[in-house]
Amino acid sequence: RTGERPLYTRIEKSVPYNATLGYYAPVYLLTYPMFGEYFTRNLVPIQYPRQVSNARWLKNQGIEYLLIYQPRDVPMPPATFEWVGTVKKWKLYRRIPTP
C-alpha cells in the first residue's frame, strides 16, 4: 500500500511519538504505521462521524491529534482543533494548546 506512504510520512513528521491520535477512517487504512517507530503513539478509532465534532468526547478520550478521511458528509472538528495539513482526502488537525 505504497499509495498511503505520504499520509504516514505526514503523521510521522507532525504527530509526536507520545501523543494520542484519534482517527476516523470509513475506508481501509493500515493503522500499525501510525503507532510510530517504537509503538509509542496511542491510537483511538472514531466509530461515528458525529464524534469528530464532539469536543467533549474528543477531550474525554485524550485525543490531541485528529486524522479524518473527509469526504463531503463528515462534520468538521470543533474549534478547539486547528488544521495541520492535508494528504489527498485525509486531513490532520491538532488540539490548540490552552494557555
Side-chain angles (χ1 to χ4, degrees):
R1 300 198 49 115
T2 58
E4 289 163 355
R5 184 172 289 146
L7 173 63
Y8 301 129
T9 301
R10 167 58 91 171
I11 292 168
E12 196 64 28
K13 289 181 179 180
S14 302
V15 181
Y17 282 125
N18 60 348
T20 299
L21 173 65
Y23 64 95
Y24 176 70
V27 296
Y28 182 73
L29 177 67
L30 293 174
T31 56
Y32 72 87
M34 296 191 301
F35 281 102
E37 184 178 356
Y38 301 105
F39 295 94
T40 57
R41 281 190 198 100
N42 185 27
L43 299 183
V44 177
I46 298 174
Q47 301 294 322
Y48 305 104
R50 67 181 178 269
Q51 291 172 316
V52 168
S53 62
N54 186 329
R56 179 178 290 160
W57 186 86
L58 293 170
K59 187 172 183 172
N60 288 343
Q61 304 305 311
I63 294 173
E64 301 163 287
Y65 288 81
L66 192 54
L67 178 66
I68 305 169
Y69 183 79
Q70 199 150 28
R72 286 177 267 172
D73 59 341
V74 176
M76 293 296 293
T80 55
F81 282 83
E82 65 184 356
W83 175 79
V84 174
T86 302
V87 177
K88 298 180 184 177
K89 289 190 176 184
W90 293 96
K91 293 187 179 183
L92 182 63
Y93 299 87
R94 75 176 182 109
R95 183 178 299 281
I96 298 170
T98 54

